[in-house]
Amino acid sequence: MEQYEPDRLSPAQVAAMRRSFRNGRAALTRRSLLRASAGGALAAGGLGTLSACGIPPAGRTQGGTTSEDHSAKEKTVSFSNWTEYMDVDDSGKHHPTLEAFTERTGIEVRYTEDINDNNEFFGKIKPQLAAGQDTGRDLIVLTDWLAGRLIRLGWVQKLDPSNLPHAFTNLSPQFRNPDWDPGRAYSYPWQGISTVIAYNKKALDGVEVTSVSDLLDNPRLKGRVGFLTEMRDTVGMTLLDMGKDPADFTDDDYDAAIARLQRAVDKGQIRRFTGNDYTSDLTKGDFAACLAWAGDVVQLKADSPDVDFLVPDSGYLTSSDNLLIPNKARHKTNAERLIDYYFEPRAAAELAAYINYVCPVDGVKEELAKIDEEAADNPLILPDRAMQAKSRAFRSLSSKEETAYEEKFAKLTGA
């Protein structure tokens, strides 16, 4: 099990964190996809550098420590989430799905939008977790790389399958077996985050784009292509284009992807590396094509008839934000019941209709169509089986790999 010592960031990790806060996913809100899922460094950011000589974490076995569950007597659950990541009514004061859960179960949900960045939030809860204390939260939402790290540290609790019948049955296959939590023993996805190719039809002016290779090599697109400041997204999509699996690659594979991107930078093919500010470049036509986050594309397509997307034959990258129960949570069973509720098709459809992320729940299309037919037919929200089969995840990285890879990526992007 991993251990940690006080926060120490390498220069590359600091650069990655700054990119994320300035214009990466950490700077975004709903429909303008989020979080520094790669902000890479970021895995080391709030947690600090991990090593064998650090302070041992509170949980001494993988999967965390159990505590007395007060769910039977205390009909409440404390849920911390990202901002604008829950359905709201027209008044902006009520969360319909949460209120429906309370009406059915009698469990009151204390819902707090107090997560703005993975590292920042981890800084809030790290002292309690390290000391083996209750964080005051029963349910939290963290991006996959940090969710995996907390599992390895032993700071979240193993879930009880008997309380999760809908979650187990309805979980989409593409989210079932992340390498950081095989079989979803400690987590369930809240929403998925996909990286695809977006393009401006008018700016392309007849140029055909079908792959990352077209972005990197077609001279007619020189200076009109964008890649992302998030290492996992840019390198992951490049690895896929090179026939490599982002879930299973070597240092040499990574270096080859960086070298390929560097050649495109050197010849002026890539206009710039961006965070979510690529949206303005794309709509204005400064970018003819770029890597993009699916949540952005849903909104951009609604606002601009010139914007569309494609999924390369080589595949696309998917990450996730995930529900976890911290050690010492007072209401574990109540939290599990809330997790399970959001894997019921009706609740999942209501959530998907509002936030427009990749829904991780199978069997919601019919329910979503009752609310929003266009959303139900949108593969960026409900990927069909063929699109799911093209989805790949970026593998977990060790602290050593994290530092080395971010240093090389920072040099590439000029961060």
Side-chain angles (χ1 to χ4, degrees), residues 91-149:
S91 73
K93 298 179 180 179
H94 301 280
H95 300 294
T97 57
L98 288 176
E99 292 180 4
F101 172 79
T102 298
E103 183 176 355
R104 180 201 297 182
T105 64
I107 299 170
E108 179 185 356
V109 182
R110 297 197 301 269
Y111 183 72
T112 308
E113 294 182 335
D114 59 348
I115 306 179
N116 295 298
D117 173 76
N118 284 292
N119 292 298
E120 179 185 53
F121 181 71
F122 186 80
K124 294 179 183 179
I125 62 176
K126 179 172 65 175
Q128 294 100 319
L129 292 171
Q133 299 172 352
D134 181 10
T135 66
R137 299 166 175 87
D138 302 304
L139 195 59
I140 58 177
V141 179
L142 296 176
T143 305
D144 46 16
W145 57 264
L146 184 53
R149 188 63 61 88

Side-chain angles (χ1 to χ4, degrees), residues 115-225:
I115 306 179
N116 295 298
D117 173 76
N118 284 292
N119 292 298
E120 179 185 53
F121 181 71
F122 186 80
K124 294 179 183 179
I125 62 176
K126 179 172 65 175
Q128 294 100 319
L129 292 171
Q133 299 172 352
D134 181 10
T135 66
R137 299 166 175 87
D138 302 304
L139 195 59
I140 58 177
V141 179
L142 296 176
T143 305
D144 46 16
W145 57 264
L146 184 53
R149 188 63 61 88
L150 262 67
I151 291 170
R152 293 194 298 274
L153 285 167
W155 285 357
V156 293
Q157 297 188 54
K158 189 172 184 178
L159 301 173
D160 183 349
S162 68
N163 293 327
L164 298 160
H166 297 97
F168 179 81
T169 300
N170 296 333
L171 177 59
S172 172
Q174 75 180 105
F175 295 102
R176 281 192 178 271
N177 287 292
D179 66 348
W180 48 270
D181 186 16
R184 291 287 181 179
Y186 307 106
S187 70
Y188 269 91
W190 176 246
Q191 298 291 292
I193 309 162
S194 294
T195 305
V196 296
I197 294 176
Y199 58 90
N200 183 309
K201 289 177 278 190
K202 185 175 181 181
L204 280 178
D205 192 25
V207 177
E208 184 179 17
V209 172
T210 62
S211 66
V212 171
S213 286
D214 291 328
L215 303 187
L216 293 173
D217 301 327
N218 191 327
R220 295 179 63 186
L221 298 178
K222 182 177 180 179
R224 300 191 296 134
V225 166

Side-chain angles (χ1 to χ4, degrees), residues 235 239 242 244-245 248-258:
V235 175
L239 284 168
M242 297 169 65
K244 303 295 183 180
D245 186 352
D248 183 20
F249 64 90
T250 65
D251 287 348
D252 288 343
D253 294 333
Y254 183 90
D255 289 345
I258 290 291

Side-chain angles (χ1 to χ4, degrees), residues 351-387:
L351 183 65
Y354 184 79
I355 63 177
N356 292 169
Y357 287 85
V358 180
C359 180
V361 183
D362 259 356
V364 302
K365 187 177 181 68
E366 183 177 345
E367 290 291 339
L368 184 54
K370 296 175 184 177
I371 305 169
D372 186 336
E373 290 187 5
E374 186 175 347
D377 290 331
N378 191 331
L380 296 179
I381 299 173
L382 295 182
D384 58 23
R385 295 297 186 190
M387 185 166 173

